[in-house]
């Protein structure tokens, strides 16, 4: 493009980026359309209320039961429990790396955290199944270590590196002028972190939490391997559960093509899509609500 003037090159590059972005949007739209087209037919057999709030999931019985409420509860509980573990640990680790750790320590730990974030989910699931499950079974004297608590631990283990890495970048990017102004007014290091640095980086930290929890919500392999696979309402932290992604992954290969079971699994995917969609909307609203302006804008 050396023979083109700068304005023409800019226009071509702009159109290229627009085309790529449009292709991504169209692809996502087609995937969503296909998901709804394959999932909606199940509601000719069972009502939306009975499907969402039904207590029994027996898709191969005669007559079949297509109630996914236990699956929804399992997904919600595992996600909330993993968030309770991963968000405080991830954000506090990021604060330590960005504000407290010495430069040499940061240079060592940061690559390790990013390396852990790249671990395949099947490896984490295998670790939870072979190492963590027997440990929980022995320590808490429970029938099985493949349960909701184990799944939440493994999902938290997956989410913490993502939350820590992105949050650390956001915190480290806070202008030094804010730190110096706070310390110059007599604030301690801890007060500066809590009252100045963390609020100034809350938008970036919120983005980190969104990305970390989005990975946990839609994770399939880990919950399939360590959650226990019981499509029933949990009575305690150590009961087996079957989250929505695990049910889809476990049964899709056995479902007759375009049969009722097939459509029910796609309808389960629709529910999962709606669940993650609203989660991202709420998280994005929170991030925009606390977005800073001026020198604190990240």
């Amino acid at each position: 493009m050396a023979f083109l003037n700068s304005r023409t090159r800019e226009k071509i590059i702009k159109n290229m980026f627009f085309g790529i972005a449009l292709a991504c949007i169209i692809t996502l739209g087609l995937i969503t359309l296909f998901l709804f087209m394959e999932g909606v037919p199940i509601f000719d057999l069972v009502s939306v209320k009975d499907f969402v709030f039904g207590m029994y999931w027996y898709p191969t019985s005669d007559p079949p039961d297509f109630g996914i409420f236990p699956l929804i509860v399992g997904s919600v509980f595992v996600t909330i429990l993993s968030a309770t573990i991963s968000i405080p640990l991830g954000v506090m680790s990021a604060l330590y790396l960005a504000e407290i750790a010495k430069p040499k320590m940061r240079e060592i730990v940061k690559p390790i955290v990013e390396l852990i974030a790249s671990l395949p989910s099947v490896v984490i699931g295998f670790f939870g199944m072979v190492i963590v499950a027997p440990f929980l079974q022995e320590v808490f004297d429970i029938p099985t270590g493949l349960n909701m608590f184990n799944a939440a631990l493994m999902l938290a283990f997956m989410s913490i590196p993502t939350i820590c890495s992105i949050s650390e970048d956001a915190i480290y990017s806070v202008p030094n002028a804010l730190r110096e102004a706070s310390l110059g007014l007599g604030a301690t290091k801890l007060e500066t972190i809590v009252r100045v640095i963390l609020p100034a980086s809350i938008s970036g930290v919120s983005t980190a939490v969104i990305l970390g929890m989005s990975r946990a919500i839609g994770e399939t392999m880990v919950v399939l391997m360590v959650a226990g696979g019981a499509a029933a309402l949990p009575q305690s932290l150590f009961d087996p559960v079957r989250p929505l992604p695990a049910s889809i992954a476990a049964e899709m290969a056995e479902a007759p093509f375009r049969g009722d079971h097939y459509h029910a699994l796609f309808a389960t995917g629709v529910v999962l899509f709606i669940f993650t969609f609203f989660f991202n909307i709420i998280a994005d609203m929170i991030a925009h609500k606390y977005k800073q302006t001026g020198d604190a804008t990240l």
Side-chain angles (χ1 to χ4, degrees):
M1 294 191 298
F3 58 90
L4 300 175
N5 60 49
S6 59
R7 181 171 295 181
T8 303
R9 288 199 301 267
E10 289 179 2
K11 188 175 181 179
I12 293 173
I13 294 172
K14 179 181 177 181
N15 290 333
M16 286 176 57
F17 280 113
F18 175 77
I20 294 171
L22 184 63
C24 293
I25 294 173
I26 292 174
T27 302
L28 290 175
L30 291 175
I31 292 173
T32 304
L33 179 63
F34 176 76
L35 182 65
F36 278 85
M37 286 178 59
E38 295 297 324
V40 168
I42 191 61
F43 299 120
D44 294 334
L45 180 66
V46 59
S47 67
V48 175
K49 180 181 177 181
D50 291 338
F51 182 77
V52 174
F53 296 103
M55 300 299 295
Y56 302 103
W57 175 258
Y58 298 117
T60 58
S61 63
D62 190 18
D65 290 312
F66 298 111
I68 65 169
F69 188 69
L71 311 182
I72 295 174
V73 171
S75 290
V76 171
F77 281 6
V78 167
T79 302
I80 292 175
L81 188 57
S82 66
T84 304
I85 299 170
S86 62
I87 293 176
L89 290 178
V91 175
M92 287 191 290
S93 299
L95 285 170
Y96 170 76
L97 289 176
E99 298 296 325
I100 300 174
K102 295 180 179 180
K104 288 186 177 180
M105 177 65 73
R106 183 174 180 270
E107 291 175 2
I108 295 173
V109 176
K110 182 70 183 294
I112 294 175
V113 171
E114 294 176 348
L115 182 63
I116 294 174
S118 65
L119 282 176
S121 58
V122 66
V123 174
I124 298 174
F126 186 73
F127 174 78
M129 185 171 60
V130 175
I131 304 298
V132 179
F135 174 77
L136 293 177
Q137 188 173 2
E138 181 178 351
V139 171
F140 294 100
D141 192 24
I142 51 180
T144 177
L146 302 177
N147 51 45
M148 179 170 63
F149 185 69
N150 191 351
L153 281 179
M154 295 302 100
L155 290 180
F157 182 74
M158 291 180 61
S159 302
I160 287 173
T162 302
I163 296 173
C164 177
S165 180
I166 301 175
S167 296
E168 193 271 340
D169 290 335
I171 295 167
Y172 193 76
S173 300
V174 173
N176 282 326
L178 297 179
R179 296 181 178 86
E180 293 169 356
S182 177
L183 295 173
L185 291 172
T188 64
K189 183 73 172 178
L190 180 60
E191 289 172 339
T192 301
I193 292 174
V194 174
R195 298 187 178 184
V196 177
I197 295 173
L198 191 57
S201 60
I202 193 65
S203 180
V205 172
S206 299
T207 302
V209 171
I210 293 170
L211 293 175
M213 296 316 303
S214 295
R215 185 182 182 190
I217 292 172
E219 176 56 40
T220 301
M221 187 57 65
V222 169
V223 293
L224 181 64
M225 296 176 71
V226 304
L233 291 176
Q235 303 298 319
S236 72
L237 290 176
F238 302 108
D239 282 349
V241 294
R242 190 173 200 175
L244 295 170
S247 183
I248 297 172
E251 300 179 15
M252 182 57 74
E254 302 175 359
F257 182 68
R258 296 287 171 86
D260 293 336
H261 189 187
Y262 173 90
H263 291 305
L265 291 175
F266 270 95
T268 303
V270 171
V271 173
L272 181 62
F273 169 80
I274 294 173
F275 179 65
T276 54
F277 181 74
F278 278 106
F279 168 79
N280 281 276
I281 288 179
I282 294 171
D284 191 59
M285 290 172 60
I286 294 173
H288 279 82
K289 181 179 179 181
Y290 294 102
K291 187 175 182 179
Q292 304 294 313
T293 57
D295 284 343
T297 302
L298 299 176

